């Protein structure tokens, strides 16, 4: 049996003094936004939303969706301190779920979206809590 190799978010490479992620995200593509090729939404609003890549497996990406809604049903979304889209100042949120899908369902990295360092740390904390529950 072969073992699955997963690349961890920048928990090990975070600088202990400044608590900032080092440049691992540029090498691996983690914490970058990509356009999702599958259409989502109801009948009236079909869209291909950008997704934040937070985990990478052999053939799959672990991702969280970007949204402007503070809640999804009964679940609160994760509030971001700074909107990742350049030129936008309204509130942005990440969906409170971590999903996995094939790498072929994602397009190239979106350059106009960047996650701030403090938001990266909040996402890492969310992932740690989620993995402890399992």
């Amino acid at each position: 049996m072969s073992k699955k190799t997963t690349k961890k978010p920048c928990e090990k490479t975070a600088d202990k003094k400044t608590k900032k992620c080092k440049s691992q995200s540029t090498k691996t593509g983690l914490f970058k936004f990509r356009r999702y090729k599958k259409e989502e939404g109801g009948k009236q609003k079909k869209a291909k939303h950008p997704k934040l890549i937070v985990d990478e497996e052999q053939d799959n990406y672990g991702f969280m969706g970007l949204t402007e809604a503070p809640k999804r049903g009964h679940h609160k979304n994760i509030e971001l301190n700074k909107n990742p889209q350049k030129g936008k100042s309204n509130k942005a949120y990440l969906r409170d779920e971590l999903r996995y899908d094939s790498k072929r369902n994602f397009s190239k990295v979106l350059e106009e979206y960047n996650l701030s360092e403090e938001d990266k740390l909040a996402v890492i904390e969310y992932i740690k809590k989620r993995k402890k529950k399992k």
Side-chain angles (χ1 to χ4, degrees), residues 33 40 45 49-52 64-72 75-80 82-85 90-97 113:
F33 285 91
E40 299 176 310
K45 188 177 182 182
H49 298 282
K51 305 293 184 196
L52 176 66
M64 298 172 77
L66 183 66
T67 183
E68 292 180 351
K71 289 178 76 175
R72 182 180 60 90
H75 303 280
K76 288 185 178 180
N77 291 326
I78 301 168
E79 185 176 343
L80 299 177
K82 184 181 173 194
N83 194 322
Q85 188 175 8
N90 53 343
K91 279 287 183 191
Y93 300 87
L94 284 175
R95 300 240 339 235
D96 189 21
E97 67 176 344
Y113 289 85

Side-chain angles (χ1 to χ4, degrees), residues 83-105:
N83 194 322
Q85 188 175 8
K86 291 180 184 173
K88 295 269 185 162
S89 60
N90 53 343
K91 279 287 183 191
Y93 300 87
L94 284 175
R95 300 240 339 235
D96 189 21
E97 67 176 344
L98 179 60
R99 295 173 29 198
Y100 286 83
D101 202 356
S102 176
K103 288 182 179 182
R104 62 184 158 86
N105 291 326

Side-chain angles (χ1 to χ4, degrees), residues 116-132:
S116 68
E117 293 296 325
E118 53 193 21
D119 290 334
K120 284 181 188 178
L121 292 173
V123 170
I124 290 170
E125 287 300 316
Y126 170 77
I127 293 170
K128 282 182 184 177
K129 285 180 190 175
R130 188 176 185 283
K131 289 192 177 188
K132 278 185 183 177

Side-chain angles (χ1 to χ4, degrees), residues 8-94:
K8 304 246 182 202
C10 63
E11 359 180 292
K12 291 183 181 178
T13 61
D15 187 9
K16 289 182 176 43
K17 291 180 183 175
T18 61
K19 294 187 178 181
K20 290 188 176 182
C21 298
K22 291 184 181 176
S23 64
Q24 177 185 358
S25 61
T26 57
K27 292 178 186 174
T28 63
L30 293 179
F31 294 105
K32 296 290 181 183
F33 285 91
R34 291 180 181 265
R35 184 71 61 196
Y36 195 49
K37 292 181 181 178
K38 291 184 178 179
E39 288 185 348
E40 299 176 310
K43 291 180 181 179
Q44 290 149 342
K45 188 177 182 182
K46 291 204 181 270
K48 296 178 181 178
H49 298 282
K51 305 293 184 196
L52 176 66
I53 306 299
V54 294
D55 193 11
E56 186 175 356
E57 293 180 349
Q58 191 172 13
D59 295 328
N60 295 326
Y61 281 133
F63 63 94
M64 298 172 77
L66 183 66
T67 183
E68 292 180 351
K71 289 178 76 175
R72 182 180 60 90
H74 296 290
H75 303 280
K76 288 185 178 180
N77 291 326
I78 301 168
E79 185 176 343
L80 299 177
N81 294 323
K82 184 181 173 194
N83 194 322
Q85 188 175 8
K86 291 180 184 173
K88 295 269 185 162
S89 60
N90 53 343
K91 279 287 183 191
Y93 300 87
L94 284 175

